[in-house]
Amino acid sequence: MALQDSEAPPGQEPLLSVDGLRVTFGSGSNTVTAVDGVTFDVHPGETLGIVGESGSGKSVSVMSLLGLAAGNVVGGTATFEGKDLLSMSKREMRAVRGKSIAMVFQDAMTALNPVLTIGNQLTEALTIHAPMSASAARDRALELLRTVGVPNAEARLKQYPHEYSGGMRQRAMIAMAMANKPRLLIADEPTTALDVTIQAQVLDVLRRAKEETGAATILITHDLGVVAEMADRVVVMYSGQVVETGTVEQVFRRPSHPYTLGLLRSLPRLDGRTTRLLPIRGNPPSARAQPTGCRFHPRCDLAAGRSLCSEQTPDLLLSAEGTRARCHFLDEVPAFRAATTVGAPGSEVQP
Ligand code: SF4
């Protein structure tokens, strides 16, 4: 049974429940564990942000549920609408992907088929799961392109992906994801390759897609600003593990894990009150060289060389702020947090 956050909607069954997921790459003595015991729930209609640096295991955690990661799932469970995702045949998984679960990737150019027009790809996405006449599919494709804000939609239907700009391609991919009114939308770094103005527009389209379909959303990103703006709850990952989870309000205002605190204090505040930014010292470990004990200990200022941090892996425990955080010294975090005045996009960290 997955850990329930105190703020999860009461009495509501999760749409997706992931518990103790483990994913490895390689074999024999070359095996590395990229995802180690990841647990989270997604409830109907909510947006869950999964945030972490590159290599934290955030994308692998989600893509391996759908058979889209190169690694091997070696442990854990994943239940979607009561069905075990991890034991599905390829055929069953294909039926789920694109219908009940739809995806938006970072790079629309590789996700879209370069030799088919956007119109053809949209009508194919529509008719593959729900047979309909060619004219009905075309009308719906047109409606979808208009919903995601593609101008001159009628003419744009006849164009190929390379004739679209980056932002327009993301819109087309979101239209495709909406085609079958999915229950869960997974967006993996959907705005990373775009410039700032276009990013805001694409986030707006994602919001519209969610409103129109009522789908729950998993937003995988390294960008805390995107999480602050879009998500209801957040899962923070570090070195293949969940280190903190809670509502966006809890995690951004009063983070209870030193890593989350470090991420937030390395970002500028929107109100300009930050006097200096404090990057986390050191670099994230590679999956081949994960530290013993708490994986964050070589970079953690709260650890202060204590042996417990380097020898024992902490559990995810309920913090005073209501989040769950993986730290041996949760009771010391409020004073540690108070020692720095820091900021985050769209929110603020308070002592
Ligand atoms: Fe830092 Fe130790 Fe807590 Fe890990 S367990 S976050 S090293 S204080």
Side-chain angles (χ1 to χ4, degrees), residues 67-234:
L68 292 175
N72 306 307
V73 176
V74 294
T77 58
T79 311
F80 175 72
E81 293 189 312
K83 295 191 200 93
D84 179 6
L85 281 179
L86 300 180
S87 66
M88 280 184 185
S89 66
K90 285 192 173 146
R91 205 169 125 256
E92 287 169 322
M93 183 53 79
R94 265 198 305 274
V96 169
R97 282 200 314 250
K99 182 161 180 10
S100 306
I101 301 179
M103 280 160 293
V104 174
F105 297 100
Q106 175 181 339
D107 185 359
M109 201 58 190
T110 51
L112 295 168
N113 187 332
V115 299
L116 287 180
T117 63
I118 296 291
N120 279 342
Q121 294 184 62
L122 269 171
T123 51
E124 195 178 291
L126 284 161
T127 52
I128 201 164
H129 294 291
M132 64 177 81
S133 70
S135 72
R138 190 192 164 282
D139 289 350
R140 176 72 181 134
L142 194 56
E143 189 188 328
L144 282 167
L145 270 198
R146 285 182 177 140
T147 304
V148 297
V150 171
N152 304 321
E154 196 131 13
R156 288 290 202 165
L157 274 180
K158 299 180 193 124
Q159 291 185 325
Y160 292 87
H162 73 267
E163 296 176 273
Y164 278 49
S165 66
M168 284 299 150
R169 275 196 293 271
Q170 284 304 92
R171 287 172 192 257
M173 193 162 46
I174 295 169
M176 214 109 58
M178 291 168 66
N180 290 293
K181 294 198 167 60
R183 299 270 290 141
L184 177 64
L185 189 64
I186 295 171
D188 189 1
E189 301 279 9
T191 60
T192 300
L194 305 171
D195 74 43
V196 176
T197 328
I198 309 295
Q199 277 185 17
Q201 292 170 3
V202 169
L203 289 180
D204 206 46
V205 173
L206 265 180
R207 236 181 254 118
R208 231 180 295 157
K210 186 177 152 69
E211 275 164 25
E212 165 121 340
T213 60
T217 304
I218 297 178
L219 189 58
I220 303 165
T221 179
H222 69 282
D223 188 337
L224 285 166
V226 170
V227 172
E229 209 180 307
M230 301 284 290
D232 303 304
R233 288 191 307 122
V234 59

Side-chain angles (χ1 to χ4, degrees), residues 257-259 294 296-297 300 302-303 306 309 314 326-329:
H257 193 281
Y259 175 62
C294 173
F296 188 54
H297 85 259
C300 182
L302 182 58
R306 287 183 279 199
C309 294
R326 194 182 288 282
C327 176
H328 290 304
F329 299 102

